[in-house]
Amino acid sequence: MASEKLKKVTIEPLTRVEGHGKVTLLLDPENQIKQARLHIVEFRGFEKFIQGRPYWELPVVVQRLCGICPVSHHIAAAKACDQIVGVNEITPTAEKIRRLMHYGQTLQSHALHFFYLSAPDLLFGYDDSIRHRNIVGMIADRPEIVKQGILLRKFGQEVIRVTCGKRIHGTGAIPGGVNNNVSQEQRNYLLTDIDNIINWGQEAVYLAKELFMTDLEHNKTFACIDTNMFALTRSDGAFDLYHGGLRAKHADGTIIFDKVDYTEYENYIKEEVKPWSYMKFPFITSLGRKSGSYRVGPLARINICDYIDTPLAESARKDFIQISDGEMVQSTLAYHWARMIELLHCAEKIKQLLHDSEIGKNDLQVKGTMQESGIGVIEAPRGTLFHHYEIDENSLVSKCNLIVATTNNNAAMNNSVRKAASDIFDGRKLSEPMLNAIEVAIRAYDPCLSCATHALGKMPLEVKLVDNDGNLQDRLIKNSDRSCQRQP
Ligand code: MG
Ligand code: NI
């Protein structure tokens, strides 16, 4: 096997990406990086664990899948359960409350990622001194930005608390609807801060844009790969995080498919298993394994939609697509900018919903005739999330398939890592800037490794260079304080 003759460079866990990751770079005999392999241990155990449980437990139990995005799993499972209880359409009140919950979750997740995990790289550059590369360094240098980030996140968490009962592991969404409305008092409470939240959302978009434009040529090409894009889209082409049909575009922007009922997703995407990875590789069936991989998440969603139905985010989207003259924006680092446009959109949507008297009504749940299966799909903060269940005659789960956003981005993340590493690798030795570049490439996708992995805790970063005959040539260790040492 030719691939076994390739040299291996192994990179141990990434900092500031939740969970545990490991990268292997495969070199050819000329010391060019042929392939990058991001090893993520997918939490397949859950799909088995959930079997035999009653379906109505799903929206609550699936929140244990992930400590980072429990609300996304909660809502996707609830949508699947709507179908199981034979409900095609929940009440307007229930849908609006679920949307409120979902926008709150997306807002807090995007704020966490941008201000806590990514901004140190973006603000100070990844070759900057160690002290800037964590939140403490940021607070010292840019306290106002960090404060806004903290308050944006807190607001999103408050929206979740109001709609779910708790910040995490709440029970807001139930099969066929929701279990509680939003009172006038709760609406007034959240409305108190909403104009500040929208202003800070706009400032976050400006900041993300400024950071991107500051070093435009580098940011446009860093870890950049041309890919297909995939997202739910409303039937009129509008951006929609909660519901829609499947839409996919080629890298050149032409449509692959559109307005596809997501309960038929198995006819449009397939998941490939590779021997070296626990995480599957989904691809668009009609394009095949080789060219069918795609990207999901903020970058894909902003590229895929025809417009955004809130004015400030729509104006930010128009501004955004100009960086590629209206063509698809393929720059991996543009994920950060797209993410802040979404954060702004969520803030605008939350304000609209809080002014909508329907969220205070009592028509919360619809009942229907039991079905044998249900499929729920949403645009989670990190991208398209699929929950698919079948139940037996005793209403117990007999089959479960999940495709999480990070799995959808699996192939693209590997390719971005290869690009980022190749551009900086001198063909001989590993270097700290190279390790940092790999981390920055992965972090742009905001992978939910704790969703897709068994989190094993933080370990120092270890990089190995192994020659063609399997001998260790070089080893670079990055400690948890981010100091680096070369070991013989
Ligand atoms: Mg699966
Ligand atoms: Ni997750």
Side-chain angles (χ1 to χ4, degrees):
M1 289 276 290
S3 62
E4 283 166 13
K5 295 213 162 160
L6 299 169
K7 297 174 186 178
K8 283 190 353 179
V9 180
T10 304
I11 296 179
E12 283 283 347
L14 306 147
T15 57
R16 282 188 283 125
V17 176
E18 299 295 337
H20 170 97
K22 181 181 170 186
V23 175
T24 303
L25 301 177
L26 299 177
L27 304 183
D28 65 15
E30 282 77 47
N31 284 339
Q32 301 296 309
I33 298 170
K34 290 282 275 193
Q35 198 182 65
R37 294 174 171 180
L38 173 58
H39 299 281
I40 297 173
V41 183
E42 189 170 25
F43 198 6
R44 273 192 218 158
F46 196 87
E47 293 173 340
K48 285 258 179 284
F49 160 81
I50 200 70
Q51 289 179 19
R53 311 288 302 188
Y55 78 86
W56 57 83
E57 287 185 356
L58 287 169
V60 174
V61 175
V62 295
Q63 295 177 88
R64 311 251 168 232
L65 265 165
C66 181
I68 309 299
C69 58
V71 179
S72 303
H73 290 294
H74 176 63
I75 296 171
K79 286 182 82 177
C81 285
D82 294 343
Q83 290 170 13
I84 290 173
V85 298
V87 172
N88 286 326
E89 220 172 304
I90 59 174
T91 67
T93 297
E95 182 178 325
K96 284 171 183 173
I97 291 169
R98 283 193 193 173
R99 281 182 178 272
L100 191 54
M101 189 188 300
H102 189 37
Y103 297 131
Q105 154 75 355
T106 306
L107 191 149
Q108 74 86 19
S109 176
H110 282 2
L112 172 72
H113 183 261
F114 186 74
F115 292 98
Y116 291 65
L117 303 179
S118 297
D121 291 329
L122 299 168
L123 286 172
F124 306 113
Y126 13 101
D127 296 332
D128 194 23
S129 65
I130 289 157
R131 75 181 184 92
H132 280 144
R133 295 186 57 92
N134 57 54
I135 191 92
V136 179
M138 277 188 71
I139 289 167
D141 282 15
R142 304 283 289 260
E144 75 293 347
I145 289 174
V146 174
K147 190 177 170 219
Q148 288 179 9
I150 290 168
L151 292 174
L152 278 166
R153 176 154 193 245
K154 184 165 177 286
F155 181 79
Q157 289 175 320
E158 284 300 282
V159 173
I160 293 169
R161 189 181 59 75
V162 163
T163 50
C164 269
K166 292 193 265 181
R167 280 186 184 183
I168 51 164
H169 298 174
T171 55
I174 53 176
V178 296
N179 67 359
N180 233 319
N181 65 7
V182 181
S183 70
Q184 187 61 52
E185 194 186 355
Q186 290 170 317
R187 285 160 63 192
N188 291 341
Y189 163 66
L190 291 173
L191 279 168
T192 314
D193 288 328
I194 193 64
D195 289 324
N196 279 333
I197 296 301
I198 291 174
N199 287 340
W200 295 335
Q202 275 192 287
E203 285 176 28
V205 173
Y206 296 144
L207 176 62
K209 179 187 175 182
E210 179 195 323
L211 293 166
F212 193 86
M213 300 308 274
T214 298
D215 192 359
L216 186 61
E217 271 325 296
H218 170 267
N219 290 336
K220 263 181 141 173
T221 55
F222 175 83
C224 180
I225 50 172
D226 276 3
T227 63
N228 309 305
M229 304 266 182
F230 183 98
L232 289 183
T233 310
R234 207 166 72 186
S235 57
D236 67 348
F239 178 96
D240 198 329
L241 293 171
Y242 176 76
H243 197 65
L246 305 180
R247 178 187 272 191
K249 284 184 176 179
H250 291 286
D252 67 4
T254 54
I255 293 278
I256 302 168
F257 52 75
D258 193 11
K259 300 182 186 182
V260 170
D261 178 348
Y262 62 60
T263 62
E264 289 168 24
Y265 80 98
E266 287 171 307
N267 297 329
Y268 292 84
I269 59 170
K270 281 200 162 50
E271 294 180 272
E272 185 182 14
V273 177
K274 295 191 181 183
W276 55 266
S277 176
Y278 289 101
M279 191 158 74
K280 291 175 183 174
F281 289 79
F283 62 94
I284 292 165
T285 315
S286 63
L287 302 181
R289 285 177 164 75
K290 266 201 148 21
S291 49
S293 68
Y294 54 87
R295 290 199 267 192
V296 299
L299 182 68
R301 292 189 288 244
I302 301 291
N303 271 305
I304 279 251
C305 72
D306 299 333
Y307 72 101
I308 300 178
D309 69 354
T310 55
L312 298 177
E314 170 60 2
S315 136
R317 183 194 69 87
K318 285 180 173 158
D319 195 27
F320 174 84
I321 58 174
Q322 288 194 353
I323 54 171
S324 60
D325 301 318
E327 303 282 307
M328 298 265 274
V329 177
Q330 295 281 3
S331 314
T332 298
L333 288 179
Y335 260 103
H336 297 288
W337 185 354
R339 199 169 280 122
M340 291 305 99
I341 296 171
E342 293 192 341
L343 180 148
L344 176 58
H345 169 72
C346 289
E348 290 182 283
K349 280 290 192 187
I350 289 168
K351 183 176 180 178
Q352 279 178 15
L353 287 166
L354 289 173
H355 282 296
D356 189 331
S357 60
E358 223 156 14
I359 64 170
K361 291 189 175 165
N362 290 314
D363 53 337
L364 301 178
Q365 195 182 11
V366 181
K367 291 190 168 30
T369 311
M370 283 296 291
Q371 306 294 312
E372 291 169 347
S373 68
I375 297 173
V377 184
I378 60 161
E379 285 298 327
R382 295 162 180 84
T384 321
L385 170 64
F386 296 80
H387 277 224
H388 182 177
Y389 305 99
E390 287 173 17
I391 58 163
D392 65 17
E393 62 282 5
N394 299 315
S395 297
L396 306 179
V397 176
S398 56
K399 187 194 146 185
C400 166
N401 184 40
L402 308 175
I403 309 176
V404 301
T406 298
T407 302
N408 283 308
N409 273 334
N410 192 6
M413 288 192 294
N414 282 281
N415 291 332
S416 282
V417 166
R418 186 189 56 73
K419 175 74 163 56
S422 297
D423 285 351
I424 210 165
F425 188 46
D426 66 3
R428 297 179 301 112
K429 286 202 162 194
L430 301 162
S431 63
E432 191 182 3
M434 189 180 163
L435 266 63
N436 290 340
I438 288 169
E439 289 192 39
V440 170
I442 294 169
R443 195 172 301 123
Y445 290 88
D446 186 17
C448 193
L449 299 185
S450 60
C451 199
T453 69
H454 301 276
L456 296 178
K458 306 240 177 205
M459 292 163 65
L461 188 71
E462 184 179 348
V463 185
K464 285 178 187 170
L465 184 63
V466 180
D467 73 12
N468 212 16
D469 304 316
N471 299 318
L472 186 67
Q473 280 192 337
D474 187 16
R475 177 178 14 208
L476 203 55
I477 293 173
K478 188 180 262 183
N479 303 306
S480 39
D481 65 359
R482 303 194 64 87
S483 61
C484 246
Q485 66 200 91
R486 195 174 296 277
Q487 289 207 344

